[in-house]
Amino acid sequence: MINNQLLHPESIVVIGGSNNVHKPGGAVVRNILNGGYQGTLRVVNPKEDEVQGIKAFHDARELPPTDLAVLVVAAKYCPDYVELLASEKGVKAFIIISAGFSEETPEGAALEKKITDTCDRYGCALIGPNCIGLLNSWHHSVFTKPIPQLNPKGVDFISGSGATAVFILESAVTKGLQFNSVWSIGNGHQIGIETVLEYMDEHFDPERDSLIKLLYIENIGDPDKLLFHATSLIRKGCHIAAIKAGSSAAGSRAASSHTGAMASSDSAVEALFRKAGIVRCFGREELTTVGCIFKSLESKVDSLKSNLNFAIVTHAGGPGVMLTDALSKGGMNVPKLEGKAAEELKQKLLPGSSVANPIDILATAQPEHLATAIDYCENRFDNIDAIMVIFGTPGLVQVFEIYDVLHKKMLTCKKPIFPILPSVNTAGPEVQEFLRKGHVNFSDEVTMATALTRVIKTPAPADQNVVVNGVDVPKIRRIIDGIKESGYISPEKVHDLLSAAGIPTVPEFVSADKAELLAFAEKVGYPVVAKVVGPVHKSDVGGVALNIRNKEVLSAEIDRMMQIQDATGVMVQKMLRGTELFIGAKYEPRFGHVVLCGLGGIFVEVLRDVSSGLAPLSYEEAFSMIHSLRGYKILQGTRGQQGINERKYAEIIVRLSTLLRFATEIKEMDINPLLADGDDIIAVDARILIE
């Protein structure tokens, strides 16, 4: 629970506060004092009469009623302090800086549970333990530096790690990123990242509150709550970016299906962020750069689209070329500028300047040259959506005037302007003055372009409704309820489930009777495919024969396959050709079903070019998954080959996700391959694991 005593306490006591500002207890007191706290600050220290100018209490029992307690004492003392303060002193909020709890030992976990139980019993808010504290405009109850510049429209930052929070703040401060609040939730057993988002969502005021949320997450305790409130905040106009640490492939468990081998907790995180509309980042520089993009764009962020056209205004050729490459790699454009307007601009710049884009105004350019180049990009070049300005210095001259021009243009131009000021040391005073005017700085052009790509390519929050059109839910339940044992289900049951979901399947027949199989082949017509039934990985045991053109060959293959170990029968299918696609799904605890799509056949394992979504999926999510594949151009059609029917592929992905929504007993499944030929897409082979 989050209450007013935590956010806006009228009185604070620091248990363990001291005069030594090089220790956490002293640093917390210093930061609260330096932060201009207007309430009553108290300190408990049994050995000191005065702490940093504040009369100290030797015993917590001597305290008057207090709103918030910050504990900076050994873990073993914390439970008794919490009990005393909550029961006798009216404390309704605790921030426990101390470590040595569940993050270290079972004994520490028991202490933490005792604290949490006490806070729950008395209705107290609890931040921590094992955190750096809470910082907002009302009080700076943290023991660390840096203390960022605070602004009601700055960033709300929530971190599951104290040390990482400090490093992210370091990265942000050097860029000029301002903050509204910093939450270090520590072990977070009462107030976690999802709880903070819930509070921000339920108390959201678009006129007062920050529109930017940055998250560093080590554990997603409640994916549904995170999804719900992140989606809600983004739909209210907020922008959220997050790092999720600890979700590498090393955490995935062994599995027998293609999907099981590829899907991991990281796939679930990717799918969750995609569904919510959260920009996923993979490092602190990337996270703070995305935060700066949100801040510099303000309301213009919603107008950004893919395939943006950028103008690059620079005084140095190399950075302009690297930025052009990075933008192009991200799917954005740096169009050539030509025609009458380009010729006019060239005449107004120094001799030797280039206007082709990048617009190189030369190292000797004056402030008026920068102003002119920006004006032409803003008013004369209709094919430009946004402007990148790169301007540093070799140290021969100061650039205060240049940066002042940039400042004024950023205030007046309708098109977004991104300042890339690389000389943070040589032009340190000039950069700092520019930042003090409320701007941010992207010191590295490639990092900036990479982060911008992530922002633009992150889809909007998805519709949460389940699409049931064409899916026979009652039939799905009848089939599932009729399966009494765990394991891979028979091909007939697989076919029935896909049929109930409206997913087209190739004509097939399964039997151990050769005569029946030969009769089916005659009925559908040669060529046909024969596959062994029983072994999970058919190809590995020689259990697949393609392009069988007559009954003599088919008869021989049936005999051979029935001799394969664990064979229970043979499946015969009509032989089809086309582009091989893949869809799979895996159940991830707490997240639900993660759906994967990509290129099919052996390329699933070789290329691992798959994208993930969290069931149930909307059509918009399915299209986003398809378009994010590295091999998407193959699906569009290359070198004379016909592209696939994307609408049907998306439809099958959505139908599969609906099937999973109503058949939670399915833990893993593959449809590999789906064959796309012209407008048709048909499931050729599938397997489903039931628990």
Side-chain angles (χ1 to χ4, degrees):
M1 57 174 293
I2 296 174
N3 54 29
N4 195 57
Q5 289 91 337
L6 177 65
L7 298 177
H8 306 108
E10 295 297 331
S11 53
I12 301 174
V13 59
V14 179
I15 308 294
S18 72
N19 286 304
N20 187 347
V21 297
H22 299 293
K23 292 186 175 181
V28 169
V29 175
R30 175 201 63 199
N31 288 343
I32 294 174
L33 290 172
N34 291 347
Y37 175 60
Q38 298 298 305
T40 301
L41 179 60
R42 303 179 177 117
V43 175
V44 171
N45 186 315
K47 298 179 180 179
E48 300 283 353
D49 295 327
E50 186 177 280
V51 171
Q52 299 184 45
I54 301 170
K55 179 182 178 301
F57 293 85
H58 291 166
D59 192 319
R61 294 178 179 83
E62 302 169 359
L63 285 167
T66 305
D67 284 346
L68 167 67
V70 182
L71 273 60
V72 201
V73 293
K76 63 183 179 180
Y77 301 122
C78 288
D80 291 340
Y81 271 119
V82 171
E83 178 68 37
L84 169 68
L85 295 169
S87 63
E88 298 183 20
K89 303 303 175 181
V91 172
K92 287 295 182 182
F94 291 90
I95 298 173
I96 302 182
I97 303 294
S98 316
F101 292 92
S102 62
E103 79 282 0
E104 290 190 8
T105 63
E107 293 78 14
L111 295 175
E112 186 171 327
K113 185 177 187 307
K114 189 174 181 180
I115 291 170
T116 305
D117 290 345
T118 301
C119 287
D120 291 344
R121 186 166 69 252
Y122 290 101
C124 303
L126 172 63
I127 294 286
N130 185 33
C131 68
I132 66 169
L134 171 64
L135 182 152
N136 61 23
S137 59
W138 192 267
H139 65 107
H140 296 183
S141 294
V142 296
F143 73 91
T144 55
K145 291 183 178 181
I147 303 295
Q149 186 173 345
L150 297 180
N151 183 326
K153 290 296 183 180
V155 172
D156 288 319
F157 173 43
I158 315 166
S159 176
S161 164
T164 306
V166 171
F167 302 148
I168 289 173
L169 287 173
E170 289 273 7
S171 172
V173 166
T174 60
K175 296 178 176 67
L177 190 60
Q178 299 177 354
F179 286 77
N180 176 54
S181 66
V182 176
W183 300 68
S184 168
I185 57 129
N187 295 350
H189 284 173
Q190 190 205 71
I191 296 176
I193 288 176
E194 301 94 329
T195 313
V196 180
L197 283 180
E198 178 183 38
Y199 183 87
M200 291 178 175
D201 180 25
E202 293 178 349
H203 296 80
F204 182 70
D205 182 342
E207 298 301 320
R208 285 189 304 108
D209 293 347
S210 168
L211 299 180
I212 304 171
K213 321 292 181 189
L214 301 183
L215 315 176
Y216 174 80
I217 306 171
E218 291 189 339
N219 177 57
I220 301 178
D222 191 336
D224 285 340
K225 181 184 281 191
L226 177 64
L227 173 62
F228 181 85
H229 292 292
T231 298
S232 177
L233 283 165
I234 292 171
R235 285 181 172 155
K236 290 173 180 176
C238 293
H239 312 290
I240 303 178
I243 297 171
K244 170 61 179 78
S247 55
S248 67
S252 65
R253 57 187 181 273
S256 55
S257 68
H258 294 301
T259 305
M262 290 185 299
S264 64
S265 58
D266 189 63
S267 304
V269 170
E270 186 75 29
L272 176 67
F273 284 12
R274 179 193 299 275
K275 185 178 281 289
I278 297 171
V279 178
R280 188 176 188 188
C281 301
F282 293 89
R284 57 181 183 269
E285 283 298 313
E286 193 171 66
L287 181 69
T288 56
T289 302
V290 168
C292 288
I293 290 170
F294 287 148
K295 182 60 183 168
S296 62
L297 287 167
E298 300 289 352
S299 61
K300 300 173 186 176
V301 71
D302 293 322
S303 65
L304 288 183
K305 57 184 186 299
S306 57
N307 299 317
L308 279 172
N309 290 330
F310 284 90
I312 299 173
V313 180
T314 179
H315 72 139
V321 173
M322 289 190 287
L323 179 55
T324 300
D325 290 342
L327 290 172
S328 299
K329 184 178 179 181
M332 291 166 279
N333 306 311
V334 183
K336 184 177 182 180
L337 300 175
E338 51 191 352
K340 182 179 179 182
E343 290 300 321
E344 288 179 9
L345 173 59
K346 187 174 179 65
Q347 294 303 315
K348 294 183 179 183
L349 299 178
L350 294 173
S353 299
S354 170
V355 298
N357 202 16
I359 301 170
D360 189 347
I361 60 176
L362 302 183
T364 51
Q366 297 301 304
E368 59 268 23
H369 297 127
L370 177 62
T372 299
I374 292 174
D375 286 342
Y376 268 75
C377 294
E378 168 77 1
N379 302 310
R380 300 295 302 279
F381 298 134
D382 295 334
N383 61 334
I384 294 300
D385 301 306
I387 308 162
M388 305 276 197
V389 175
I390 305 173
F391 211 100
T393 176
L396 300 177
V397 295
Q398 293 183 324
V399 288
F400 285 105
E401 290 185 28
I402 285 276
Y403 289 177
D404 188 55
V405 166
L406 181 57
H407 158 68
K408 291 174 180 176
K409 292 300 180 185
M410 291 179 69
L411 295 180
T412 58
C413 286
K414 293 181 180 179
K415 295 177 182 178
I417 298 177
F418 298 92
I420 300 169
L421 314 179
S423 303
V424 291
N425 290 318
T426 307
E430 295 99 311
V431 171
Q432 289 304 311
E433 181 176 299
F434 179 79
L435 297 181
R436 280 193 291 271
K437 293 174 181 176
H439 300 298
V440 295
N441 175 35
F442 305 94
S443 60
D444 182 82
E445 59 280 351
V446 175
T447 301
M448 188 272 166
T450 302
L452 183 61
T453 299
R454 294 206 182 278
V455 172
I456 291 174
K457 290 192 173 181
T458 298
D463 186 352
Q464 301 293 324
N465 295 326
V466 181
V467 180
V468 295
N469 292 344
V471 179
D472 190 338
V473 175
K475 184 177 180 182
I476 288 171
R477 284 312 316 167
R478 286 196 301 272
I479 296 168
I480 294 293
D481 292 339
I483 300 171
K484 302 305 181 184
E485 295 182 358
S486 297
Y488 280 96
I489 63 177
S490 68
E492 295 92 342
K493 296 293 186 185
V494 172
H495 182 274
D496 291 344
L497 280 173
L498 296 182
S499 177
I503 297 173
T505 57
V506 64
E508 65 183 31
F509 182 72
V510 178
S511 178
D513 186 299
K514 183 193 296 187
E516 292 180 344
L517 293 169
L518 293 173
F520 175 78
E522 291 293 337
K523 178 181 176 182
V524 297
Y526 290 95
V528 296
V529 177
K531 301 177 182 178
V532 68
V533 176
V536 173
H537 293 293
K538 304 176 185 66
S539 298
D540 293 348
V541 294
V544 178
L546 305 176
N547 203 28
I548 300 172
R549 295 187 171 275
N550 56 63
K551 68 178 182 180
E552 289 77 18
V553 176
L554 177 58
S555 177
E557 288 293 347
I558 293 170
D559 291 338
R560 182 182 66 81
M561 289 183 185
M562 289 302 297
Q563 300 303 312
I564 294 175
Q565 185 177 353
D566 298 327
T568 60
V570 174
M571 174 193 294
V572 174
Q573 295 174 320
K574 177 68 178 174
M575 178 74 184
L576 301 175
R577 297 189 181 277
T579 301
E580 292 189 340
L581 307 175
F582 163 81
I583 302 178
K586 180 183 178 185
Y587 182 82
E588 278 291 327
R590 294 180 293 130
F591 288 84
H593 283 102
V594 179
V595 180
L596 304 181
C597 75
L599 292 171
I602 62 171
F603 296 110
V604 172
E605 292 181 334
V606 175
L607 299 181
R608 289 182 175 262
D609 179 17
V610 295
S611 60
S612 58
L614 202 60
L617 295 167
S618 66
Y619 283 100
E620 290 76 13
E621 287 179 278
F623 280 116
S624 174
M625 290 167 64
I626 295 168
H627 294 164
S628 66
L629 293 168
R630 296 192 303 274
Y632 174 59
K633 288 186 177 179
I634 296 174
L635 305 186
Q636 287 180 300
T638 57
R639 305 190 69 172
Q641 292 189 347
Q642 185 178 6
I644 72 164
N645 186 328
E646 288 184 35
R647 181 190 59 77
K648 277 198 173 180
Y649 192 22
E651 184 178 282
I652 291 173
I653 293 171
V654 171
R655 287 175 181 270
L656 177 66
S657 79
T658 304
L659 163 65
L660 297 166
R661 172 67 179 78
F662 293 101
T664 55
E665 295 87 346
I666 295 176
K667 301 307 177 187
E668 289 181 21
M669 73 173 296
D670 289 333
I671 305 178
N672 182 34
L674 281 161
L675 280 182
D677 184 16
D679 283 339
D680 293 327
I681 300 181
I682 298 176
V684 174
D685 197 3
R687 54 190 170 191
I688 296 177
L689 177 66
I690 295 283
E691 290 181 7

